[in-house]
């Protein structure tokens, strides 16, 4: 759902060729940072405005955070959004939201300082809350750790926890990359350490079982981790 709001990330510039390409040569495209691009078409400007309003005004970030808050307190979540957020992949929507809003911040930064400031305030508030919800072990998730226990053991009713973790890690890293929020990087790094500690404790059979169930999700989660350690997943 929220992934469709990422239209603000698609405004990339292409440098015009200075001269016709010689036979056999390869034309190169130049990508510009979002803060170097201005949206001048009125239709696209309206789309961007509607996207921003939906992301930071219509969506309630506290509802997207409800699962994380509940896990940190050891309680059952309330006031959740419906759909995917009321399933075992709860929390992945916040990851998408973080990535979308971080990119929107960078887009606005180059053309509208007031809007960029509003977006930054919202992002910083969400990251501060995530930091407060992170357990001392580094675990940060919107469903209990038992989902990982069951998944790794091949028991219970689980979905794709490592896919969901990847979305959260990617969102945190995007906030650091585009908005320079140091706490976002610290939270992601601590979560990466939790993942590293967990993976290094797997037996050969457990590693094979996890990779067999969610190979893509596990690799996404490990490569998104900002921990300086390398996960033993090969």
């Amino acid at each position: 759902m929220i992934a469709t709001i990422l239209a603000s990330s698609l405004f990339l510039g292409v440098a015009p060729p200075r001269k016709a390409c010689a036979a056999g040569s390869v034309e190169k495209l130049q990508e510009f940072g979002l803060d170097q691009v201005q949206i001048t078409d009125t239709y696209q400007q309206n789309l961007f405005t509607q996207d921003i309003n939906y992301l930071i005004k219509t969506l309630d970030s506290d509802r997207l955070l409800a699962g994380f808050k509940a896990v940190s307190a050891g309680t059952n979540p309330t006031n959740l959004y419906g759909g995917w957020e009321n399933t075992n992949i709860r929390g992945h929507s916040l990851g998408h939201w973080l990535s979308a809003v971080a990119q929107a911040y960078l887009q606005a930064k180059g053309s509208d300082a007031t809007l960029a400031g509003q977006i930054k305030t919202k992002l910083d508030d969400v990251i501060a809350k995530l930091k407060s919800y992170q357990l001392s072990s580094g675990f940060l998730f919107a469903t209990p750790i038992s989902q990982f226990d069951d998944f790794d053991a091949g028991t219970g009713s689980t979905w794709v926890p490592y896919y969901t973790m990847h979305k959260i890690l990617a969102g945190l890293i995007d906030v650091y990359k585009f908005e320079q929020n140091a706490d976002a990087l610290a939270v992601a790094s601590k979560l990466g350490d939790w993942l590293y500690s967990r993976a290094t404790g797997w037996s050969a059979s457990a590693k094979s079982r996890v990779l067999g169930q969610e190979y893509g999700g596990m690799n996404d989660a490990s490569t998104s981790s900002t921990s300086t350690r390398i996960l033993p997943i090969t």
Side-chain angles (χ1 to χ4, degrees):
M1 176 185 70
I2 296 178
T4 61
I5 307 304
L6 295 177
S8 59
S9 70
L10 299 179
F11 296 99
L12 302 177
V14 179
R18 295 181 180 177
K19 59 183 179 179
C21 295
S25 65
V26 177
E27 182 140 13
K28 295 181 179 179
L29 300 181
Q30 180 180 351
E31 182 176 317
F32 294 90
L34 292 173
D35 56 341
Q36 297 178 290
V37 178
Q38 290 188 358
I39 305 172
T40 57
D41 180 81
T42 55
Y43 180 80
Q44 298 295 339
Q45 286 176 336
N46 179 62
L47 287 179
F48 181 71
T49 299
Q50 295 304 318
D51 281 353
I52 296 300
N53 287 338
Y54 179 72
L55 287 166
I56 68 174
K57 294 180 181 180
T58 301
L59 287 177
D60 184 346
S61 57
D62 284 333
R63 292 187 70 182
L64 293 174
L65 288 162
F68 297 91
K69 182 178 181 180
V71 170
S72 71
T75 60
N76 293 321
T78 59
N79 199 33
L80 292 169
Y81 274 112
W84 295 119
E85 285 303 295
N86 206 17
T87 69
N88 280 339
I89 57 171
R90 180 184 309 144
H92 85 293
S93 295
L94 179 69
H96 287 304
W97 183 92
L98 288 171
S99 292
V101 177
Q103 292 177 70
Y105 165 79
L106 194 61
Q107 173 68 66
K109 183 181 177 182
S111 57
D112 190 335
T114 299
L115 177 60
Q118 294 172 349
I119 297 173
K120 176 177 171 58
T121 297
K122 172 65 81 170
L123 276 173
D124 289 349
D125 175 67
V126 170
I127 294 300
K129 288 175 179 175
L130 282 174
K131 184 178 180 180
S132 72
Y133 300 151
Q134 189 166 34
L135 302 183
S136 59
S137 64
F139 183 69
L140 178 68
F141 215 60
T143 58
I145 197 171
S146 58
Q147 185 176 173
F148 286 90
D149 295 335
D150 291 343
F151 186 89
D152 293 356
T155 61
S157 176
T158 61
W159 285 23
V160 282
Y162 292 104
Y163 160 85
T164 305
M165 177 183 286
H166 167 240
K167 300 311 169 191
I168 297 166
L169 278 167
L172 288 166
I173 293 168
D174 281 344
V175 173
Y176 173 70
K177 179 180 178 181
F178 298 127
E179 199 250 299
Q180 298 299 300
N181 185 306
D183 281 342
L185 180 63
V187 171
S189 182
K190 194 173 180 181
L191 181 54
D193 287 340
W194 174 85
L195 178 59
Y196 173 84
S197 178
R198 184 178 191 87
T200 54
W202 287 336
S203 64
S205 60
K207 185 190 302 183
S208 177
R209 181 169 56 250
V210 172
L211 291 176
Q213 295 178 106
E214 202 187 339
Y215 181 81
M218 189 64 226
N219 276 281
D220 280 344
S222 65
T223 54
S224 291
S225 170
T226 54
S227 171
T228 57
R229 299 167 176 171
I230 303 299
L231 287 171
I233 63 171
T234 56

